[in-house]
Amino acid sequence: AKRVDKKTELKDAVTKKEELEGDLKKTKARFAKEKEEYEAANEDISKGIAALVDAIKTLKTSKSSKAGLLSVKATVQHSLAVADALKIIVDGPKWAAAASFLQARVDPDDPEYKYHSDGIISIMQKLEKEFRKKKAEQDAEWEKTRASLMETIKDLGSQISSTTDLIQNLKPLLTHLQRTLPKLVVHLSRKRPR
Protein backbone atom coordinates (compact mmCIF):
# COMPACT_ATOMS: atom_id res chain seq x y z
CA ALA A 1 0.00 0.00 0.00
CA LYS A 2 2.86 2.35 0.84
CA ARG A 3 4.46 1.66 -2.55
CA VAL A 4 1.22 2.48 -4.37
CA ASP A 5 0.82 5.69 -2.35
CA LYS A 6 4.37 6.78 -3.16
CA LYS A 7 3.90 5.96 -6.87
CA THR A 8 0.76 8.11 -6.91
CA GLU A 9 2.56 10.87 -5.02
CA LEU A 10 5.43 10.75 -7.53
CA LYS A 11 3.06 10.82 -10.50
CA ASP A 12 1.17 13.78 -8.98
CA ALA A 13 4.44 15.61 -8.31
CA VAL A 14 5.63 15.11 -11.89
CA THR A 15 2.27 16.39 -13.21
CA LYS A 16 2.38 19.40 -10.88
CA LYS A 17 5.93 20.21 -11.97
CA GLU A 18 4.90 20.10 -15.64
CA GLU A 19 1.96 22.41 -14.91
CA LEU A 20 4.17 24.83 -12.98
CA GLU A 21 6.74 24.86 -15.79
CA GLY A 22 3.92 25.64 -18.26
CA ASP A 23 2.69 28.47 -16.03
CA LEU A 24 6.23 29.81 -15.74
CA LYS A 25 6.67 29.77 -19.52
CA LYS A 26 3.35 31.63 -19.99
CA THR A 27 4.23 34.19 -17.31
CA LYS A 28 7.63 34.86 -18.87
CA ALA A 29 5.98 35.29 -22.29
CA ARG A 30 3.42 37.69 -20.79
CA PHE A 31 6.24 39.63 -19.11
CA ALA A 32 8.10 39.95 -22.42
CA LYS A 33 4.93 41.08 -24.24
CA GLU A 34 3.99 43.63 -21.57
CA LYS A 35 7.55 44.95 -21.47
CA GLU A 36 7.60 45.35 -25.25
CA GLU A 37 4.26 47.21 -25.18
CA TYR A 38 5.45 49.48 -22.36
CA GLU A 39 8.72 50.27 -24.13
CA ALA A 40 6.93 51.13 -27.39
CA ALA A 41 4.44 53.41 -25.63
CA ASN A 42 7.22 54.95 -23.55
CA GLU A 43 9.29 55.65 -26.65
CA ASP A 44 6.32 57.33 -28.37
CA ILE A 45 5.49 59.56 -25.43
CA SER A 46 9.15 60.41 -24.80
CA LYS A 47 9.53 61.45 -28.45
CA GLY A 48 6.35 63.52 -28.11
CA ILE A 49 7.72 65.30 -25.03
CA ALA A 50 11.05 65.99 -26.72
CA ALA A 51 9.29 67.27 -29.85
CA LEU A 52 7.09 69.59 -27.82
CA VAL A 53 10.04 70.94 -25.84
CA ASP A 54 11.87 71.63 -29.11
CA ALA A 55 8.80 73.21 -30.71
CA ILE A 56 8.18 75.50 -27.73
CA LYS A 57 11.83 76.54 -27.72
CA THR A 58 11.74 77.18 -31.47
CA LEU A 59 8.53 79.20 -31.24
CA LYS A 60 9.91 81.31 -28.41
CA THR A 61 13.25 81.98 -30.11
CA SER A 62 12.29 82.10 -33.79
CA LYS A 63 9.43 84.55 -33.89
CA SER A 64 10.66 85.97 -37.19
CA SER A 65 11.84 82.84 -38.97
CA LYS A 66 9.62 81.20 -41.58
CA ALA A 67 11.85 78.09 -41.58
CA GLY A 68 11.46 77.82 -37.82
CA LEU A 69 7.70 78.17 -38.18
CA LEU A 70 7.54 75.34 -40.72
CA SER A 71 9.59 73.15 -38.39
CA VAL A 72 7.29 73.98 -35.47
CA LYS A 73 4.19 73.21 -37.57
CA ALA A 74 5.54 69.74 -38.36
CA THR A 75 6.44 69.18 -34.71
CA VAL A 76 3.02 70.30 -33.50
CA GLN A 77 1.29 68.04 -36.03
CA HIS A 78 3.36 65.07 -34.85
CA SER A 79 2.78 65.89 -31.17
CA LEU A 80 -0.97 66.25 -31.62
CA ALA A 81 -1.10 62.96 -33.53
CA VAL A 82 0.78 61.22 -30.71
CA ALA A 83 -1.46 62.88 -28.11
CA ASP A 84 -4.55 61.76 -29.98
CA ALA A 85 -3.22 58.21 -30.31
CA LEU A 86 -2.46 58.10 -26.59
CA LYS A 87 -5.92 59.55 -25.82
CA ILE A 88 -4.32 62.50 -24.01
CA ILE A 89 -6.12 65.32 -25.77
CA VAL A 90 -9.82 66.03 -25.69
CA ASP A 91 -11.44 67.85 -28.59
CA GLY A 92 -12.35 71.39 -27.73
CA PRO A 93 -11.63 75.04 -28.37
CA LYS A 94 -8.03 74.93 -27.12
CA TRP A 95 -7.16 72.30 -29.73
CA ALA A 96 -9.02 74.23 -32.42
CA ALA A 97 -6.43 76.97 -32.03
CA ALA A 98 -3.66 74.44 -32.62
CA ALA A 99 -5.44 73.07 -35.67
CA SER A 100 -5.94 76.60 -36.96
CA PHE A 101 -2.21 77.25 -36.49
CA LEU A 102 -1.36 74.13 -38.47
CA GLN A 103 -3.62 75.06 -41.40
CA ALA A 104 -2.99 78.80 -41.61
CA ARG A 105 -0.42 80.61 -43.68
CA VAL A 106 1.29 82.71 -41.07
CA ASP A 107 3.65 85.60 -41.68
CA PRO A 108 6.03 85.81 -38.69
CA ASP A 109 6.41 89.56 -39.40
CA ASP A 110 2.69 90.12 -38.92
CA PRO A 111 1.87 91.51 -35.44
CA GLU A 112 -0.97 88.98 -35.23
CA TYR A 113 1.66 86.20 -35.33
CA LYS A 114 2.96 87.07 -31.87
CA TYR A 115 -0.58 86.97 -30.50
CA HIS A 116 -1.30 83.56 -32.07
CA SER A 117 2.11 82.07 -31.32
CA ASP A 118 1.73 82.89 -27.62
CA GLY A 119 -1.56 80.99 -27.59
CA ILE A 120 0.02 78.06 -29.39
CA ILE A 121 2.96 78.07 -26.95
CA SER A 122 0.48 77.94 -24.08
CA ILE A 123 -1.37 75.03 -25.67
CA MET A 124 1.87 73.21 -26.35
CA GLN A 125 3.05 73.75 -22.76
CA LYS A 126 -0.24 72.31 -21.51
CA LEU A 127 0.15 69.37 -23.88
CA GLU A 128 3.72 68.82 -22.69
CA LYS A 129 2.46 68.77 -19.09
CA GLU A 130 -0.20 66.22 -20.03
CA PHE A 131 2.39 64.10 -21.87
CA ARG A 132 4.60 64.11 -18.78
CA LYS A 133 1.65 63.16 -16.58
CA LYS A 134 0.72 60.32 -18.95
CA LYS A 135 4.33 59.14 -19.00
CA ALA A 136 4.47 59.13 -15.18
CA GLU A 137 1.23 57.10 -15.12
CA GLN A 138 2.63 54.63 -17.67
CA ASP A 139 5.87 54.31 -15.72
CA ALA A 140 4.01 53.69 -12.44
CA GLU A 141 1.68 51.14 -14.04
CA TRP A 142 4.61 49.32 -15.67
CA GLU A 143 6.47 49.20 -12.36
CA LYS A 144 3.43 47.58 -10.68
CA THR A 145 3.05 45.09 -13.54
CA ARG A 146 6.78 44.34 -13.60
CA ALA A 147 6.95 43.79 -9.84
CA SER A 148 3.88 41.55 -9.87
CA LEU A 149 5.12 39.42 -12.76
CA MET A 150 8.61 39.14 -11.29
CA GLU A 151 7.09 38.00 -7.98
CA THR A 152 4.98 35.42 -9.84
CA ILE A 153 8.05 34.18 -11.74
CA LYS A 154 9.99 33.93 -8.49
CA ASP A 155 7.14 32.08 -6.76
CA LEU A 156 6.72 29.63 -9.65
CA GLY A 157 10.48 29.00 -9.68
CA SER A 158 10.36 28.27 -5.96
CA GLN A 159 7.42 25.89 -6.38
CA ILE A 160 9.18 24.11 -9.25
CA SER A 161 12.28 23.75 -7.08
CA SER A 162 10.27 22.29 -4.18
CA THR A 163 8.45 19.90 -6.48
CA THR A 164 11.73 18.83 -8.09
CA ASP A 165 13.15 18.13 -4.61
CA LEU A 166 10.06 16.06 -3.76
CA ILE A 167 10.47 14.05 -6.98
CA GLN A 168 14.15 13.49 -6.27
CA ASN A 169 13.32 12.26 -2.77
CA LEU A 170 10.51 9.97 -3.93
CA LYS A 171 12.49 8.20 -6.67
CA PRO A 172 15.05 6.54 -4.35
CA LEU A 173 12.29 5.68 -1.87
CA LEU A 174 10.29 3.96 -4.61
CA THR A 175 13.39 2.13 -5.80
CA HIS A 176 14.03 0.98 -2.24
CA LEU A 177 10.42 -0.14 -1.87
CA GLN A 178 10.57 -2.01 -5.19
CA ARG A 179 13.67 -3.89 -4.01
CA THR A 180 12.49 -4.64 -0.49
CA LEU A 181 8.85 -5.40 -1.18
CA PRO A 182 9.44 -8.80 -2.83
CA LYS A 183 11.75 -9.78 0.03
CA LEU A 184 9.14 -8.66 2.54
CA VAL A 185 6.43 -10.69 0.79
CA VAL A 186 8.64 -13.79 0.85
CA HIS A 187 9.49 -13.19 4.48
CA LEU A 188 5.87 -12.72 5.45
CA SER A 189 4.75 -15.78 3.52
CA ARG A 190 7.23 -17.94 5.47
CA LYS A 191 6.02 -16.63 8.80
CA ARG A 192 2.37 -17.12 8.01
CA PRO A 193 0.83 -20.21 9.60
CA ARG A 194 -0.28 -22.83 7.15
Side-chain angles (χ1 to χ4, degrees), residues 12 16 28 41-43 66 76 91 100 102 104 117 120 126 132 140 168 188:
D12 291 346
K16 180 180 178 183
K28 284 182 175 182
N42 189 51
E43 181 179 347
K66 289 183 182 184
V76 172
D91 291 328
S100 160
L102 294 173
S117 68
I120 298 301
K126 182 170 176 53
R132 290 185 188 281
Q168 295 306 316
L188 288 174

Side-chain angles (χ1 to χ4, degrees), residues 13-125:
V14 169
T15 300
K16 180 180 178 183
K17 181 181 176 195
E18 290 169 354
E19 289 171 2
L20 289 169
E21 287 171 338
D23 290 346
L24 180 61
K25 184 177 180 181
K26 288 177 191 172
T27 303
K28 284 182 175 182
R30 180 176 166 216
F31 179 85
K33 180 180 179 242
E34 299 236 1
K35 181 179 181 187
E36 183 178 315
E37 289 171 0
Y38 163 75
E39 287 174 347
N42 189 51
E43 181 179 347
D44 286 345
I45 204 161
S46 293
K47 284 180 180 177
I49 291 168
L52 281 166
V53 168
D54 288 345
I56 292 166
K57 180 180 176 186
T58 301
L59 263 177
K60 285 181 175 182
T61 60
S62 303
K63 296 223 176 187
S64 63
S65 165
K66 289 183 182 184
L69 181 60
L70 292 175
S71 170
V72 170
K73 276 184 153 183
T75 300
V76 172
Q77 285 175 327
H78 172 73
S79 298
L80 290 175
V82 171
D84 184 49
L86 296 172
K87 306 298 182 222
I88 292 175
I89 62 173
V90 178
D91 291 328
K94 61 185 176 184
W95 305 116
S100 160
F101 167 74
L102 294 173
Q103 295 169 359
R105 293 185 182 260
V106 179
D107 179 4
D109 297 325
D110 185 343
E112 285 285 308
Y113 172 74
K114 180 177 179 353
Y115 170 75
H116 289 296
S117 68
D118 288 343
I120 298 301
I121 289 170
S122 174
I123 290 169
M124 290 170 53
Q125 287 171 331

